[in-house]
Amino acid sequence: MSLVQVDYKSKMTKLTTQSQVIIFLGLIITVAIFSYLSPHFFSLRNFMNIVRQMSMIAIVAFGMTFVIIAGEIDLSVGSIIGITGMVAAISMKNGLNPIIVIAGALVLGALIGLLNGLMVVKVKITAFLATLVTMSVLRGLSLASTPGAAPVTINSPLFVEITTTNIGSIPIVLIYLITILVILHFILNKTVFGRHIYATGGGANAAALAGVNIQFIKMMVFVISGLLASFSGLVLAGRLSAGVPDSGTGWELDAIAAAVLGGTKFSGGQGSVIGTLGGALIMGVVSNGLTLLGMTYAYQLIIKGIIIALAVILDIWVRRTDS
């Protein structure tokens, strides 16, 4: 490794650490504010509600983080969540074993991700347009899968238990979240594949000259994104005890917001799943806190947008200060 590469890696590590510190300080401040404003906010029961909702979005956001670090974007994750839930519910309604359904749904998510990747690297469609097409088609299929786009009830106790049970007082989705976080953090920071993802987003031409298989890397990050979206789709279906055609609507924006809020550089080459977790936590706390304060969804969207804008401005300021 050259001195230039060492210096670049050191600088990126420093910037990532700074972003993580800022985001978790922001989380502490956000919790303190809502604890003061709402007497119902600071309680174990409410925190568990935040964890259950945030965990699913965070898992989707982890996949989005991989895609953005590689210099791409994935708008299809919300629709993957919807189609996964519908496929799982319809399959179990027709008597298919829940374990087979879970495995098949995860494979479906990975294959959709692979399709996105192939459109980007082989057909040369921009990721924005390719995943926009996938988003539209999958949502249409979800809505058309049942008469009147009606939800399909899930009557499998085993499926619901696997996706929503508690272990003691800990929601199993939190255990899934931590496990996935550890695995993905290891991949990004301790493997050649992870380094190649950063290199691809940091400068694809330079990475290709250094021997990185750019096409393979980009296809794989979309596969990871699709896989994680389908996983969250299964958990959401279990929580609702039904496949709901419009479930996951708007989650692609929440996933992007969590990643960017967590310090992932939108142009690629920098980011971390730990930072994204912090971003997802802030988004979850803000949504929960504003709901407890009686704020309508429309105003929640406005405030979320302002928070994201401030996070981006702060991130730009930190980079300029460091350079």
Side-chain angles (χ1 to χ4, degrees), residues 35-114:
S35 296
Y36 174 77
L37 293 175
S38 172
H40 305 292
F41 180 82
F42 199 85
S43 67
L44 180 60
R45 180 178 180 180
N46 189 50
F47 286 155
M48 287 298 100
N49 288 334
I50 294 173
V51 165
R52 288 187 182 92
Q53 182 64 25
M54 175 280 304
S55 295
M56 292 181 287
I57 293 175
I59 290 169
V60 179
F62 291 159
M64 188 68 73
T65 300
F66 270 63
V67 174
I68 295 176
I69 290 174
E72 302 294 347
I73 195 72
D74 187 354
L75 300 179
S76 68
V77 291
S79 294
I80 293 175
I81 290 169
I83 196 70
T84 296
M86 293 305 297
V87 167
I90 293 170
S91 298
M92 285 183 284
K93 184 177 180 180
N94 290 323
L96 203 60
N97 184 285
I99 302 301
I100 296 175
V101 168
I102 291 171
L106 293 176
V107 170
L108 174 63
L111 289 176
I112 294 170
L114 179 61

Side-chain angles (χ1 to χ4, degrees), residues 114-171:
L114 179 61
L115 175 62
N116 285 333
L118 288 172
M119 285 193 290
V120 171
V121 303
K122 297 296 184 182
V123 187
K124 304 299 182 184
I125 304 174
T126 63
F128 180 88
L129 289 177
T131 58
L132 184 64
V133 169
T134 310
M135 177 182 74
S136 179
V137 171
L138 292 179
R139 186 62 69 190
L141 289 172
S142 296
L143 293 170
S145 60
T146 58
V152 177
T153 302
I154 295 174
N155 294 316
S156 168
L158 177 60
F159 179 85
V160 174
E161 183 177 358
I162 290 173
T163 52
T164 64
T165 190
N166 287 356
I167 297 180
S169 60
I170 301 174

